[in-house]
Amino acid sequence: SKKRTDLPTNIPEEDNLDSLIAGALNQLSINERENVYHEMHGVDDVVNETPEMLQRSMAALHTELETLKHSHREGLAFNKAEAMSRNYVHDPVLRIKFLRSEKFDAKKSAERMIMFFDVKMQLFGQEKLCKNITLEDFDSDDMAFLKSGYVQLLPSRDRSGRVALMMFFLERKHKVVENIARVLFYLTMTAAEDEETQQRGMTVVAYGDEKFDRKSFAFGDFKIGAQLNKCLPTKTCSFHACFNDTEFRFLAHAAVYFLNEDARARFKLHNGTQVEILYELMTFGIPVDSVPLSTEGEVKRKNHLDFLKMRHRQESMVGAPRIVIPTHRDVLFGRGKPFREHRGNIKLYEMIDDKLEYYESISIIKQKTETIMEMVDAVEVLGGRFLKQDDAGCWMTVGTKMAKEKVSNTFRTRLRIASSEKDERKNSEFTVVSEGKKRLKSVPSEQDM
């Protein structure tokens, strides 16, 4: 391939991309490498948070910030924000996000928070340093890029319960690279509203094919992406670069060059057809059924635009709890395959099936009600919620009465399914016996011979 002329002189050639990633892995200890492997495959453990540990961590973070804000080269924006609104900067809800993103390493969390305000000021200006960014803060170009669907949060979590963010690099849909950066900032911060995302991190997938226009991107455009990875309060546990065209390898090369060693070690390349790539992503626990690509390789936007409609509604409801993407522990109200196959619903089916024989055997209404309430409590003990969507698509937690109705209906449905399966087995056994008798009749007896 031709040597690019817009690259820094000290950067390895694109042909050395694999060795660049391998080199990052080699810098890690055996334990660190194992942790990266587990995180990339979604089988890592979440830090056990106790009130005492949280209190100590908050105090340690405060101490580190008090030192860094005067010595860090990018501390100006943090100091401006603190002068504008001390309550915002010292909000424990905000600070816990940074601690969780660095697994409670106070020094790393403080550095991330200092850089967060610096990048936020670059992208949105000083006047928005102390406010949560909403869709109202986008200009027309930002909104046009957001609605293009070229960056989306997938509607389903991955195998480990992480939110997955997908970026498409096909045709140019942005005017300036800041359009991409502001959309990435917004969607990542939206995902970080969720406690499970704060604890488990995110998965990022970048996809490009032969429609990728290499000339639309300068190498330095990807520096802001690396900055966002280092400053936003959620950890990227794995980054998957997917392509079926060698031109897109340039993008992966640019991204890896600007990433630090830890992020490089989490970088995975996937080269092949769309079907081959989706199969590889599936092995990492990524919900490929939710990937918004048609069989012709076109970006699908319906779920994304529904999501934006939901966000508009959520952002207009001041003080109301925001549920971005249901967790694997939640039980969802709704009809159709996506609801039936949601992990939380399947878990409820399993718990109900274990109680099915007992539930069918009792006739006293009080006992049935107690069994139903036991199932509701079991979901909540596991950290789940019973969720229903309103007209705008916002997920809302339902009350105990509706949760009990959901469980009661599920008991009836599971009993009907069990009864149907029992009848099918009986019919199958009857058919086998009947066929056996026919064969026996067709065999000549000794007298006939």
Side-chain angles (χ1 to χ4, degrees):
S1 60
K2 288 185 179 180
K3 183 174 180 179
R4 289 185 58 88
T5 58
D6 63 334
L7 307 185
T9 56
N10 62 334
I11 186 169
E13 286 296 305
E14 290 176 42
D15 294 340
N16 295 329
L17 178 57
D18 296 302
S19 61
L20 199 63
I21 298 170
L25 280 168
N26 290 334
Q27 295 295 317
L28 303 177
S29 67
I30 293 175
N31 282 342
E32 288 172 333
R33 209 176 305 166
E34 193 173 277
N35 288 337
V36 167
Y37 178 85
H38 288 160
E39 286 187 355
M40 288 188 70
H41 286 80
V43 292
D44 56 309
D45 295 324
V46 173
V47 174
N48 182 31
E49 299 178 10
T50 65
E52 296 78 14
M53 184 270 278
L54 291 175
Q55 189 175 9
R56 286 196 309 271
S57 298
M58 282 289 195
L61 175 60
H62 178 74
T63 301
E64 292 290 345
L65 285 169
E66 287 301 299
T67 301
L68 273 180
K69 71 181 185 181
H70 299 300
S71 60
H72 201 286
R73 66 182 182 277
E74 289 156 353
L76 177 64
F78 180 90
N79 289 317
K80 284 181 179 290
E82 194 172 39
M84 291 166 64
S85 174
R86 187 174 177 83
N87 287 341
Y88 182 85
V89 176
H90 288 254
D91 184 0
V93 175
L94 177 65
R95 292 194 168 197
I96 192 69
K97 294 176 184 179
F98 289 94
L99 283 167
R100 285 171 172 156
S101 69
E102 294 290 358
K103 296 206 169 178
F104 293 89
D105 183 314
K107 183 166 184 168
K108 289 182 179 179
S109 302
E111 289 177 352
R112 186 176 283 264
M113 193 169 180
I114 293 285
M115 290 188 288
F116 168 80
F117 282 100
D118 181 64
V119 171
K120 188 177 183 182
M121 188 164 72
Q122 289 180 45
L123 294 177
F124 297 98
Q126 182 177 327
E127 68 277 7
K128 294 175 183 174
L129 268 177
C130 294
K131 76 178 292 287
N132 295 326
I133 301 300
T134 68
L135 293 170
E136 297 298 322
D137 297 309
F138 281 179
D139 63 27
S140 58
D141 292 336
D142 296 333
M143 189 57 71
F145 178 70
L146 177 62
K147 288 183 176 180
S148 74
Y150 273 42
V151 182
Q152 301 187 29
L153 290 176
L154 299 191
S156 301
R157 295 171 183 264
D158 73 5
R159 175 172 52 207
S160 68
R162 292 193 184 102
V163 168
L165 184 143
M166 191 150 190
M167 306 165 62
F168 295 97
F169 290 87
L170 307 175
E171 301 160 293
R172 186 183 178 95
K173 294 290 183 179
H174 62 285
K175 285 194 174 180
V176 293
V177 72
E178 285 78 13
N179 300 140
I180 301 176
R182 283 190 280 268
V183 166
L184 283 172
F185 185 103
Y186 172 77
L187 290 177
T188 304
M189 292 303 293
T190 296
E193 291 175 11
D194 173 67
E195 187 173 301
E196 185 154 352
T197 301
Q198 296 168 27
Q199 294 172 330
R200 290 194 171 276
M202 293 178 64
T203 296
V204 175
V205 180
Y207 184 92
D209 61 16
E210 61 274 2
K211 293 192 285 293
F212 173 66
D213 183 9
R214 181 168 173 160
K215 295 177 183 177
S216 296
F217 296 87
F219 192 82
D221 287 349
F222 299 98
K223 187 174 183 179
I224 188 66
Q227 286 180 312
L228 289 172
N229 184 62
K230 291 189 287 188
C231 81
L232 293 177
T234 182
K235 187 176 185 66
T236 301
C237 294
S238 61
F239 190 103
H240 301 267
C242 311
F243 55 96
N244 63 5
D245 186 82
T246 53
E247 285 291 291
F248 187 72
R249 193 174 174 87
F250 153 68
L251 172 66
H253 188 228
V256 168
Y257 173 70
F258 286 114
L259 293 174
N260 59 25
E261 292 294 318
D262 179 76
R264 285 180 183 178
R266 300 167 188 280
F267 203 95
K268 184 71 178 175
L269 294 171
H270 305 278
N271 186 10
T273 65
Q274 181 175 318
V275 172
E276 290 169 339
I277 286 170
L278 291 178
Y279 179 79
E280 285 192 32
L281 292 177
M282 188 171 59
T283 66
F284 286 85
I286 294 168
V288 295
D289 288 344
S290 297
V291 170
L293 270 178
S294 69
T295 52
E296 292 78 27
E298 298 297 321
V299 177
K300 295 191 286 188
R301 300 192 304 153
K302 183 185 182 305
N303 286 338
H304 179 62
L305 294 177
D306 287 345
F307 170 79
L308 295 182
K309 178 182 174 183
M310 177 197 77
R311 287 300 294 176
H312 270 294
R313 175 67 177 271
Q314 286 181 332
E315 290 170 2
S316 69
M317 298 187 296
V318 179
R322 296 178 183 177
I323 300 170
V324 181
I325 298 171
T327 73
H328 288 337
R329 298 184 298 274
D330 294 327
V331 175
L332 308 184
F333 284 66
R335 297 178 180 276
K337 184 178 177 182
F339 297 95
R340 288 197 306 272
E341 295 187 353
H342 179 71
R343 290 265 290 273
N345 290 48
I346 291 173
K347 180 63 178 177
L348 177 63
Y349 302 155
E350 292 171 350
M351 292 191 297
I352 284 177
D353 288 347
D354 288 340
K355 287 280 186 179
L356 213 52
E357 190 174 333
Y358 169 74
Y359 186 83
E360 190 176 21
S361 70
I362 57 179
S363 57
I364 301 172
I365 294 177
K366 183 181 178 182
Q367 288 179 308
K368 285 187 179 288
T369 302
E370 288 173 349
T371 306
I372 289 168
M373 194 64 217
E374 185 183 328
M375 294 294 99
V376 173
D377 290 340
V379 169
E380 293 175 349
V381 164
L382 292 172
R385 301 160 294 187
F386 287 84
L387 303 180
K388 188 174 185 178
Q389 286 178 299
D390 65 12
D391 294 339
C394 298
W395 289 105
M396 312 293 285
T397 304
V398 306
T400 302
K401 182 180 178 182
M402 287 191 71
K404 287 167 66 177
E405 288 175 4
K406 172 72 173 176
V407 172
S408 178
N409 290 335
T410 306
F411 261 116
R412 287 196 292 273
T413 301
R414 303 303 289 179
L415 281 169
R416 189 166 59 249
I417 292 171
S419 176
S420 176
E421 290 175 348
K422 187 176 180 181
D423 289 341
E424 285 181 10
R425 284 195 300 271
K426 281 184 178 180
N427 291 335
S428 177
E429 290 170 2
F430 177 78
T431 302
V432 170
V433 171
S434 298
E435 290 296 325
K437 287 180 178 179
K438 286 180 183 178
R439 284 196 294 272
L440 284 173
K441 285 182 180 180
S442 65
V443 176
S445 64
E446 291 183 6
Q447 292 178 345
D448 294 335
M449 299 173 65

